Amino acid sequence: MFEAIAFYLFAFLTIAMFYITVTTSQALYALTALAAGMIFISAFFFILGADFLGAVQIVVYSGAVMALYAFGMMFFDTTREVKEKNGNKLLVIGLSTIAAVLVVLIFAAPIVGDNIKAFYPMVEGAGNTQEVGIVLFTKYLVPFEVAAVMLLVAMVSGIVLAGKKMDLSLTLMSDAEIKDMREELNKKVLS
């Protein structure tokens, strides 16, 4: 019972964090929610009893998101206002359908998961690293690969977003120009 409650709680939190990542217009919020979502994913490994993979998820993937976070702060000009445009309605419908299917799969996973048995060979005299490798590439292959694909998507998204042209670059501006820009922004905020 505890595992089912923990599964649904972390599933909701993970989906909420990735929803914030996709829908927010602030780069700071998006990257923070992405890191939190990656940490919540590690909870699934801990629930499954794969403590090593949970720790690797936190250290490696969340660390990668933090690197993305640092690059995001370097490449994005967070002082300018973001103007969003409405996207393609077909894309919105497609993503909504995929989200609905994922919700159904999340609720069906505990039911189907009770019927799945993982058969993997145990090697006599194998060290801890070999045993982790055997279990990783047999019993926990799908969750590990899903996490890897999510990291790939995050990396490609970061590259695409960083490659977009910015209106102006703070690194190429003089101190006086930055000061003038801050004063203009303060006047807009106060008025």
Side-chain angles (χ1 to χ4, degrees):
M1 181 68 185
F2 169 74
E3 290 177 349
I5 293 171
F7 174 80
Y8 289 120
L9 173 69
F10 286 117
F12 173 76
L13 290 173
T14 303
I15 291 170
M17 288 300 112
F18 289 131
Y19 178 78
I20 291 170
T21 301
V22 172
T23 59
T24 187
S25 62
Q26 298 292 325
L28 214 63
Y29 296 153
L31 292 171
T32 303
L34 183 63
M38 289 292 191
I39 290 172
F40 286 138
I41 286 177
S42 69
F44 294 113
F45 290 114
F46 290 120
I47 291 171
L48 291 171
D51 298 334
F52 176 77
L53 288 180
V56 167
Q57 173 74 22
I58 291 173
V59 171
V60 175
Y61 290 133
S62 299
V65 171
M66 286 296 112
L68 178 69
Y69 189 84
F71 281 110
M73 291 302 99
M74 286 189 291
F75 286 121
F76 293 129
D77 181 11
T78 56
T79 59
R80 70 184 168 114
E81 241 181 77
V82 176
K83 293 182 181 174
E84 296 180 6
K85 59 182 178 178
N86 291 334
N88 187 356
K89 291 188 184 219
L90 185 61
L91 179 66
V92 172
I93 292 170
L95 291 176
S96 299
T97 305
I98 291 171
V101 169
L102 285 176
V103 168
V104 169
L105 288 175
I106 286 171
F107 283 104
I111 298 166
V112 175
D114 291 339
N115 300 326
I116 295 175
K117 301 275 189 244
F119 298 107
Y120 51 91
M122 295 307 286
V123 179
E124 294 275 334
N128 189 28
T129 305
Q130 291 170 334
E131 289 177 2
V132 167
I134 289 170
V135 173
L136 175 66
F137 291 114
T138 55
K139 186 175 181 181
Y140 298 111
L141 180 64
V142 174
F144 186 73
E145 290 298 325
V146 167
V149 168
M150 289 176 63
L151 178 65
L152 177 67
V153 168
M155 183 176 64
V156 170
S157 301
I159 292 169
V160 168
L161 290 173
K164 289 185 176 180
K165 301 254 186 213
M166 293 191 300
D167 293 339
L168 52 104
S169 174
L170 293 176
T171 57
L172 299 176
M173 295 172 64
S174 68
D175 290 337
E177 291 173 328
I178 293 173
K179 185 178 177 182
D180 291 340
M181 186 177 70
R182 283 187 184 157
E183 288 174 1
E184 289 176 21
L185 287 173
N186 287 336
K187 287 178 186 176
K188 286 182 184 178
V189 170
L190 294 176
S191 60

